[in-house]
Amino acid sequence: KAQRAGLEALRLLVHKPSSVGDRLKPLLFSDQRQRAAFVALSAAGDLHGALRSVEDEYPDVAALLRRLAVEEPAADADDVVVQLVWIACQRALADLDSEVRLSPDALTRLGPVAAKINRDVQELEDRKGAIVAADRLVALLVERGEESA
């Protein structure tokens, strides 16, 4: 599920960059190759520049970018962003749970964070408020440093 959503987000970034470009962050991609493709596309600003930047050192990422160039996106940009955010939040909540299990005293510090994530994740199900909630969740995940996860 995460891989499919990541691929669709990358297709949108290649073919309709304005629909997702400013809403995606590396932390939304759990697959390392997809994350590398996203970073290359974001840094270069276009597909050709991204390909040049990864061609020699990361041929698997270059192959993915070539594949994305010929595959048209099939999903709505908002739906893809919401799905990626939901998946990233599930990973973040699992990480928070692990931290609390390893150090029960962390519950005081992490409990409110988990509660906020859970509250905003519920808002992702409401079509009207989903994008606003997704933006809040991405900001929270970035602030928490989940990018390295």
Side-chain angles (χ1 to χ4, degrees):
K1 198 172 185 178
Q3 244 188 333
R4 281 195 313 259
L7 287 172
E8 191 63 19
L10 290 169
R11 282 185 203 102
L12 285 161
L13 190 58
V14 167
H15 295 281
K16 301 176 184 177
S18 63
S19 70
V20 291
D22 60 339
R23 297 190 286 166
L24 298 176
K25 302 288 182 220
L27 66 90
L28 296 177
F29 298 90
S30 59
D31 178 88
Q32 293 302 316
R33 194 170 58 135
Q34 289 178 10
R35 185 180 292 198
F38 170 74
V39 169
L41 284 165
S42 297
D46 68 9
L47 178 65
H48 300 293
L51 271 167
R52 280 192 303 276
S53 73
V54 298
E55 195 83 58
D56 295 330
E57 211 169 325
Y58 306 102
D60 58 330
V61 176
L64 173 60
L65 288 170
R66 277 192 219 87
R67 181 179 136 200
L68 295 167
V70 297
E71 295 177 352
E72 289 291 323
D76 175 73
D78 289 347
D79 292 343
V80 171
V81 170
V82 167
Q83 188 175 18
L84 281 175
V85 170
W86 186 87
I87 293 166
C89 287
Q90 298 313 304
R91 285 193 315 267
L93 288 168
D95 290 346
L96 289 170
D97 186 55
S98 294
E99 283 183 57
V100 169
R101 287 176 195 262
L102 291 172
S103 175
D105 60 323
L107 182 60
T108 307
R109 181 174 40 89
L110 300 177
V113 175
K116 176 150 183 44
I117 291 172
N118 276 314
R119 215 173 19 257
D120 285 348
V121 163
Q122 288 176 347
E123 285 186 46
L124 292 177
E125 294 173 19
D126 171 27
R127 182 78 176 150
K128 289 180 188 169
I131 291 303
V132 173
D135 290 344
R136 273 196 318 265
L137 284 162
V138 169
L140 178 63
L141 294 174
V142 168
E143 182 182 311
R144 281 215 18 92
E146 296 293 340
E147 278 198 66
S148 60

